[in-house]
Amino acid sequence: MGEPDDKDDGEVSGGRDPKDTVAAPNAAEWAREETDQVDLGPMVQEMLRSEAGDKIPVFVVLSGTDVGSVVRLDRGAIVLGRDPTSGAVFQDEGVSRQHLKAVLLPGGRVAIEDLGSTNGTVVHGQRIARAILAVGDKLLLGRRTILKLALLDKVDHAFQQEIYDSSIRDPLTGIYNRAYLLKRLATDLSFATRHSLPLSLLILDLDHFKHINDTYGHPCGDRLLCKVATTLFSGVRFEDVLGRYGGEEFALVASGVDESGARALGEKLRSLVTLCEVPVSDSPGAELVTVTVTIGSITVPGGIRLDPCSALEAADANLYAGKNSGRDRVVASTFKGGRESGQWERG
């Protein structure tokens, strides 16, 4: 099947034109360089306040799907689990929906109680029902999620959170990046297979985006990508995983959604995108530019095993079908292959 001219054409917003390359300064220019003098007082005071202030008790995730994230424990009792309503949500198929309860005690210690989880909670090599943790103690939830109790000042806490966010977020749009998206796709497919739940994967590609970049410039394209990302995020559920898959492509993992639900969701998102508009420049009264989107969706029925690469291939095939039949539409189907991964056909 031939590829449409605006799919994977290598022209994405944020690219660099060779003629825009800035030459490195020569020796004379370096000699003229002067360092700005700044008032260090406010920053020094902030550091002193942070170091002198109360430390924030947290769980730092050392391994598992959410490695690098931090869970604050200074805001009352908190439940940790896979359920979206939990105080701290872990996307690990070995963690129960309501796995563990944690309560902060005086002196920075933390009392934990296993809530009857399937795979248990392990502290110091022993499966426990209840335990008191001291700073530095580690605990294992399920198969691979390891937490460590730590005390962080405000600067350390902000740094840890920023590092984690930068590892999973697309820097332009703020939604999940490709790496995290693919990790979650693998995890959610595995969970859906074991629990006989449907899962739908949608790939969304903005139509004629290269023309927008060529006509109005990359800054306009960037604004439009951000607007579309915000709009898409407003139209999905809390538990859905929305990410930037590539240049002008987005992807959505919707657990528990069958083909009819995926088609309805795709149409909803397609309609929302048509309402997106951004000015071509910052000038007052600037022309507004809009965009449409083509969506390809594949649904994996409950109990069927499909690897992430095959799911992406199937959704992408439906996306191409939509592009080749006129764009601005949703093409959805259900996986029709056998139980083993890698076997699929268009429905």
Side-chain angles (χ1 to χ4, degrees), residues 266-282:
E267 288 293 349
K268 173 186 176 183
L269 297 178
R270 186 193 62 78
S271 297
L272 286 174
V273 169
T274 63
L275 302 177
C276 293
E277 55 183 26
V278 297
V280 299
S281 71
D282 295 329

Side-chain angles (χ1 to χ4, degrees), residues 71-72 77-81 83-90 97-98 100:
V71 179
R72 292 188 65 150
I78 185 172
V79 173
L80 289 70
D83 192 288
T85 62
S86 298
V89 181
F90 292 92
R97 297 182 69 83
Q98 303 284 328
L100 180 78

Side-chain angles (χ1 to χ4, degrees), residues 16 27 33 46 50 68 82 90 105 114 128 135 152 173 179 204 213 227 233 241 262 265 275 319-320:
R16 182 181 295 276
E33 188 270 339
E46 177 65 24
S50 176
R82 207 183 63 255
F90 292 92
L105 301 176
D114 188 273
I128 57 93
V135 173
L152 304 179
T173 63
L204 308 88
N213 274 339
K227 179 67 173 181
F233 185 78
V241 184
L265 175 59
L275 302 177
L319 174 63
Y320 276 119

Side-chain angles (χ1 to χ4, degrees), residues 128-246:
I128 57 93
R130 295 179 180 84
I132 304 295
L133 302 179
V135 173
D137 284 345
K138 300 182 181 70
L139 59 154
L140 170 66
L141 307 183
R143 296 187 181 92
R144 61 177 183 271
T145 297
I146 298 178
L147 313 179
K148 178 181 178 180
L149 180 61
L151 292 176
L152 304 179
D153 63 34
K154 290 182 179 180
V155 172
D156 288 335
H157 180 266
F159 169 77
Q160 187 70 39
Q161 190 63 51
E162 184 173 348
I163 289 296
Y164 174 65
D165 287 343
S166 67
S167 73
I168 66 171
R169 299 285 177 182
D170 173 62
L172 176 65
T173 63
I175 61 176
Y176 291 126
N177 59 27
R178 181 188 178 99
Y180 184 81
L181 179 70
L182 296 180
K183 182 186 295 187
R184 284 294 306 275
L185 175 60
T187 299
D188 289 6
L189 277 171
S190 177
F191 180 84
T193 299
R194 290 199 317 276
H195 295 272
S196 296
L197 296 172
L199 178 145
S200 292
L201 170 66
L202 290 76
I203 298 181
L204 308 88
D205 186 87
L206 301 184
D207 299 323
H208 302 298
F209 191 73
K210 181 180 185 301
H211 174 73
I212 293 174
N213 274 339
D214 290 345
T215 304
Y216 304 108
H218 288 284
C220 177
D222 285 349
R223 287 194 295 272
L224 188 56
L225 285 172
C226 292
K227 179 67 173 181
V228 169
T230 302
T231 299
L232 292 175
F233 185 78
S234 71
V236 302
R237 304 172 302 173
F238 175 83
E239 60 267 35
D240 293 335
V241 184
L242 173 69
R244 188 179 178 192
Y245 185 54

